[in-house]
Amino acid sequence: MCDFVPGIELSRAFYHEVVAPLLPRVVHSAALVGPGSEVLEFDTARSADHDWGPRVLLFVAGEQVAEVEARVLAGLPDRFRGLATVFSYHGRVGAGVRVCEPGGWLREQLGFDPRAGMSLLDWLSVPWQRLAEVTQGEVFHDGLGALEAARAALRWYPQDVWRYVLACQWRRIAQEEPFLGRCGEVGDELGSAVVGARLAREVMRLALLLRRRYPPYGKWLGSALARLPGSAELGECLRAAVAARSWREREEGLSGAYGRVAALQNRVGLAERLDEGVRGFHDRPFRVIGGDRFAEALMASVSDPVIRGLPVAGCVDQLSDSTEVLVAAGRARALTAAALGLTA
């Protein structure tokens, strides 16, 4: 375990030392992108116990896929730096080099090829995890010019789409923020803790979105927040909220977190500047940020009439937590289209 080499470093060396020499005069692109904790640089020695090894995605023109695949498979050594070059990856046993046509791979991951332009439904139907997997990782060589073009198209939301997604994230907070105290008031500390943890997750995702980071799925959400510059105090507030034994302590932690993301939104400047302080929930003794204030300000700043007319429900990650939806591009797209009334 002490000799662990991060997967992106391993794969970079694997490409340059082994794969590239097998491809003289073949126009290609090569990268480590797509699924895998090493793509987002969250892998550790523990990651090496499954779906992990020297790995490269190789992209060539469609008519060359079979020929290049045969050449690479014939030339690969059995091991690279002590690791097998054929291993199990996501239920498939095969070589660590996968050969694809770029458009086909992009449609498999996203449901469309972003190089052809992107519709509103395209933007809202791709899970954050998928967007992160395609835009992060590393391109080792881009002879086709396809990967960098696709990654540039997906780098971040257009301004009005960003405003909409942020508004929907604030709406998620608004929907539950008074429940933490209401549960606690009737002696339901377990229910209050569950609501508090849900709200902490929404604040974490909001903080990442405000800093132009696609939030990863649950396993890496805390790690992603910890890497965010200036997030230490926000993290302390959220840890206090999640660890609290009483609803008033939980409310105190979340109140501090709300103030910090409200201040961040004001600094980003996408909408009217609003008071960053918590306040009472009507005449009840619960403190809330009033998430709907921020959602409404963001929507008021949207200039695109189509986006302005959408229900404040959100992108696919805000519509569903089901892994069975989020890992299947067709399902994610169908759900988003139905919920928002959008067509391709």
Side-chain angles (χ1 to χ4, degrees), residues 22-218:
L22 298 174
L23 302 170
R25 297 179 297 281
V26 175
V27 178
H28 68 277
S29 297
L32 185 67
V33 290
S37 57
E38 65 269 47
V39 172
L40 305 187
E41 299 185 68
F42 289 130
D43 57 326
T44 67
R46 180 68 61 205
S47 307
D49 66 4
H50 73 290
D51 295 341
W52 196 92
R55 196 162 65 83
V56 172
L57 271 169
L58 198 60
F59 297 94
V60 297
E63 66 274 12
Q64 292 185 293
V65 169
E67 175 192 345
V68 170
E69 184 175 58
R71 181 190 302 187
V72 170
L73 292 180
L76 284 181
D78 292 336
R79 305 188 77 79
F80 176 73
R81 297 193 177 180
L83 296 166
T85 59
V86 174
F87 53 91
S88 175
Y89 180 71
H90 286 219
R92 178 184 66 90
V93 176
V97 180
R98 181 183 174 192
V99 184
C100 312
E101 185 273 324
W105 183 84
L106 288 164
R107 286 187 291 274
E108 174 188 298
Q109 299 300 308
L110 307 170
F112 58 90
D113 185 339
R115 297 172 300 167
M118 293 179 62
S119 69
L120 180 57
L121 179 58
D122 292 337
W123 273 115
L124 296 178
S125 65
V126 184
W128 292 323
Q129 177 71 23
R130 282 280 191 253
L131 289 166
E133 289 169 350
V134 176
T135 57
Q136 295 187 46
E138 185 174 323
V139 175
F140 307 134
H141 175 71
D142 196 19
L144 292 175
L147 290 183
E148 292 297 5
R151 283 156 63 89
L154 295 165
R155 193 72 64 194
W156 194 247
Y157 293 120
Q159 291 283 94
D160 275 354
V161 179
W162 187 17
R163 289 184 173 95
Y164 174 72
V165 171
L166 288 171
C168 295
Q169 194 61 23
W170 277 111
R171 175 62 59 84
R172 288 179 67 88
I173 291 169
Q175 288 166 349
E176 295 195 352
E177 55 181 331
F179 299 165
L180 180 150
R182 184 66 177 120
C183 290
E185 188 180 52
V186 298
D188 181 11
E189 285 293 351
L190 175 59
S192 176
V194 170
V195 172
R198 285 170 58 88
L199 287 166
R201 183 186 76 151
E202 301 308 336
V203 169
M204 293 165 75
R205 294 163 85 175
L206 176 59
L208 288 160
L209 290 166
L210 282 165
R211 296 297 298 273
R212 299 170 62 96
R213 307 288 201 282
Y214 294 122
Y217 75 121

Side-chain angles (χ1 to χ4, degrees), residues 225-240:
L225 182 71
R227 291 183 182 180
L228 203 62
S231 67
E233 291 183 352
L234 175 60
E236 288 173 9
C237 291
L238 293 171
R239 282 191 294 273

